[in-house]
Each structure stands twice: as structure tokens, then as C-alpha cells.
Amino acid sequence: MKFGVLQFFSWPGRRGSLKDIYDRSLERVRIMDQNGYDAVWIAEHHFSTYSVCPSVHMMGVHFAAATRNLRIGTGVSLAAFYNPIRLAEEVALLDVLSGGRANWGAGSGFDQNEFRVFGIDRDERHPRFRESVDIVLEAWKSNKFSYEGQYHQYEDVEVLPKPLQDPLPVWLAASSAEACTWSGEQGFTIMQDPHTSMAGILDKRRLYEQALIENNHSPDDRDIPVARLMAIAETDEQARQVATKGAEWTTSSYAKGPPSNDATAIDPVERYVNDVILWGCPERVADQLKQYEEEYGLNYLLCSPLSNQSFHLFNEEVLPRL
């Protein structure tokens, strides 16, 4: 199993300074760089204290300058909000400046307020996202290219720089069954969200793998990052308290996450604590992860710690057990 961190920049109650939050994340990334993590994946959000990182590419360069081994992932670039040519330039520049360590994760976004403020029809998010991904990939592989799309048209454009990696690894965020199926049909590799139960993750994974196979794409040798909100403390009870606070923050500050297909999702806080968040003392969390590997085929964990203590206990006491 590979390990990465899905890095949020939450600012609960606006306590302390944002600089302290950014400094703490940089300290975390330096620890990861020396402890065998595969990548940090940086979450992009706008207009909310849920996570204050409007530019994952700028933050990625910041992290790259402080590390040598860690891959720098976008988790995710919200492609529908960008001019895709500008997006291709920024991700390629991140790859060059990081010495070829960039992972591009791209998603369509779901928050209604973000679409409203950016002036984009939320109902168009999927076709806009797919067209943007198509343009970015074409821009990277062609010296000059022209494109006639539904939302963007270009003629004889040369995008510079090109990524250092050829090809630069690409993942698409797939939170819905539709997104999993489409990604499989196209042969893309997916990353899965932190707001769905592991049973729901497995159901969507099966749809994805079926679509891969039916369209002559191999499901083998693919790293499929699965993000898990994580609360770890010295005791299970303390960890459950951290999980509850994290669930309350998530459901109250950021639109309750992507829509869930869980029929039992009556109280969102209870759903997160009971079915979504991975919580407990280090031994319990390690045992749960081993179970996830055996039962759900988890081969890449994206840990999203709900407290600084959760990260340090994961690093110091959970990882050695795995």
C-alpha cells in the first residue's frame, strides 16, 4: 500500500493566523518527505474557511521547494474554473520546478457557491471539465495545436513550458457513479473521495473497473488513491471526539461534501462518524487499514488528518504497524 496525505488548509472559527496553518502544513510536508510517503495532494477550495487554498499550483511549488523525494499532487485542480490553456501552463511549470515530481489530479468541483461566484453554470460542470482535460492533455503532447470545442476554441497555439515528465501522471476525481463509469470508458485512472463509505467506494470501483474492461483498458497496475478523513488519538474515545468535531465542521462549513448515495444518510454528522471517518487509537486504525486492504483492495491511502495529533500519531505509530 502506498501512502499520501490529502492536505486541507482548514481555518475553524478563524482561530489563529492563516500563516500558522500554512507553516504547519509545510512542517508536515517536510516530515512526509523523510518518511517514505508517496505524495502530498493539495486540496483546492474557494470562498470558505473549510480550506483556504485557492491555488494548488502555487502551493505545490512552495512544497516542492522544501522537499526532495515527495511527489506533489493536485487534489484536485478544479478544471472547470480555469482557462484550460492557463491550467496546462501552470501544471507543466509545477512539474518543471519540482524536478518532475508533479501528479495532476483534476476534478469538476461541486460547490454551488464556487460556481456562482465564478459565473459558471453548475449544470455545465461535467462537459466543461471533460473538455478542459482534453485540451490540457493535447497542449502537453503537441508542439502547436488547434482545438474547436463547445466552450473553448484555439488556433495554432504553442503551450510552454511542457511538463518534464513524459507523460505526466494524471488522475481524475470520481465521486459519482457516472464519473467512475466515464473515466473507465476513457481509460483514465481515478482518485476517490473522502465523503463516501468504504462500501460505497467499492461499489463505484467495480463500476469503474467494469467500464475499463468493456472498453479494452487494463485495470491492472493502477494506483487508485482513496481519501479517508482520519481522527487518531491515544484512546478510541478521544479519537471519536475528534471525529465528531471534524464531522460537524465538514457538514456545517462546506455543503456537506458531495451528494451521498447512502440511503441511511439522515443525520450527516452521524453518517460521517459511523461510516466515513477512520478513527481510533493507533492500533485500531492500523487494523482497520489492513482490513480495508484485504476487503476493499485499498492500494493507495490518502490520509486526511482531522487534527495535527492525528497526523503525528499516524506517522509515528500507525505507519510502523503497516
Side-chain angles (χ1 to χ4, degrees):
M1 188 188 302
K2 290 184 178 180
F3 300 94
V5 168
L6 178 58
Q7 180 62 49
F8 289 92
F9 303 84
S10 297
W11 195 20
R14 302 176 188 261
R15 294 190 299 271
S17 71
L18 270 174
K19 185 178 184 303
D20 289 340
I21 291 171
Y22 298 142
D23 288 347
R24 191 178 305 125
S25 69
L26 186 61
E27 175 193 9
R28 180 179 294 181
V29 163
R30 286 178 170 139
I31 291 171
M32 294 168 61
D33 192 49
Q34 299 301 316
N35 283 274
Y37 290 80
D38 178 65
V40 59
W41 296 78
I42 309 164
E44 176 181 334
H45 291 285
H46 301 270
F47 322 123
S48 168
T49 56
Y50 176 67
S51 181
V52 187
C53 184
S55 175
V56 290
H57 314 111
M58 186 178 293
M59 188 64 73
V61 171
H62 180 53
F63 285 168
T67 57
R68 291 295 176 267
N69 308 301
L70 195 67
R71 296 191 64 80
I72 310 298
T74 62
V76 292
S77 303
L78 296 176
F81 299 149
Y82 292 83
N83 181 302
I85 292 293
R86 180 63 181 267
L87 181 57
E89 293 173 332
E90 291 196 2
V91 178
L93 185 59
L94 169 60
D95 193 48
V96 172
L97 295 180
S98 67
R101 288 186 283 142
N103 289 347
W104 187 42
S108 61
F110 61 86
D111 182 68
Q112 293 182 3
N113 191 48
E114 291 177 340
F115 282 93
R116 180 185 62 81
V117 175
F118 282 124
I120 296 173
D121 186 345
R122 188 175 180 272
D123 291 339
E124 296 178 351
R125 67 191 186 279
H126 294 313
R128 281 185 175 275
F129 160 69
R130 293 168 184 176
E131 182 171 299
S132 292
V133 169
D134 192 30
I135 292 169
V136 169
L137 297 180
E138 186 63 34
W140 286 344
K141 71 182 182 183
S142 303
N143 290 330
K144 289 188 176 182
F145 80 104
S146 299
Y147 191 93
E148 186 69 28
Q150 182 178 357
Y151 303 103
H152 304 280
Q153 297 80 39
Y154 304 103
E155 184 175 351
D156 202 25
V157 178
E158 181 180 23
V159 170
L160 294 172
K162 293 291 191 286
L164 197 59
Q165 300 176 91
D166 185 16
L168 191 152
V170 175
W171 283 261
L172 300 188
S175 300
S176 67
E178 177 193 4
C180 289
T181 299
W182 181 83
S183 298
E185 290 171 349
Q186 304 302 312
F188 286 109
T189 301
I190 63 170
M191 55 198 313
Q192 296 192 270
D193 68 270
H195 303 289
T196 303
S197 69
M198 283 303 295
I201 290 289
L202 180 60
D203 288 342
K204 289 184 284 190
R205 176 81 62 84
R206 286 170 174 161
L207 289 175
Y208 167 68
E209 292 179 347
Q210 179 182 351
L212 282 173
I213 293 168
E214 290 177 351
N215 289 273
N216 299 314
H217 304 296
S218 173
D220 299 331
D221 301 321
R222 292 176 185 262
D223 291 332
I224 309 291
V226 177
R228 292 292 85 187
L229 297 169
M230 194 171 292
I232 310 173
E234 296 295 341
T235 69
D236 288 348
E237 181 54 37
Q238 291 170 342
R240 184 181 176 90
Q241 292 174 9
V242 174
T244 301
K245 289 181 180 179
E248 290 170 347
W249 169 246
T250 298
T251 58
S252 65
S253 64
Y254 200 66
K256 299 181 175 58
S260 170
N261 294 323
D262 291 352
T264 58
I266 299 172
D267 178 70
V269 172
E270 284 300 308
R271 183 181 78 84
Y272 270 83
V273 173
N274 293 335
D275 298 329
V276 177
I277 298 173
L278 181 58
W279 58 267
C281 68
E283 183 178 10
R284 170 181 163 139
V285 169
D287 288 343
Q288 285 181 302
L289 286 172
K290 292 175 185 176
Q291 179 183 351
Y292 290 170
E293 186 175 23
E294 294 174 4
E295 294 185 8
Y296 300 108
L298 178 66
N299 69 357
Y300 193 134
L301 171 71
L302 274 188
C303 170
S304 182
L306 288 171
S307 68
N308 208 37
Q309 181 191 39
S310 296
F311 169 74
H312 286 289
L313 286 175
F314 179 81
N315 184 68
E316 295 162 12
E317 298 192 30
V318 175
L319 274 183
R321 287 178 161 90
L322 299 173

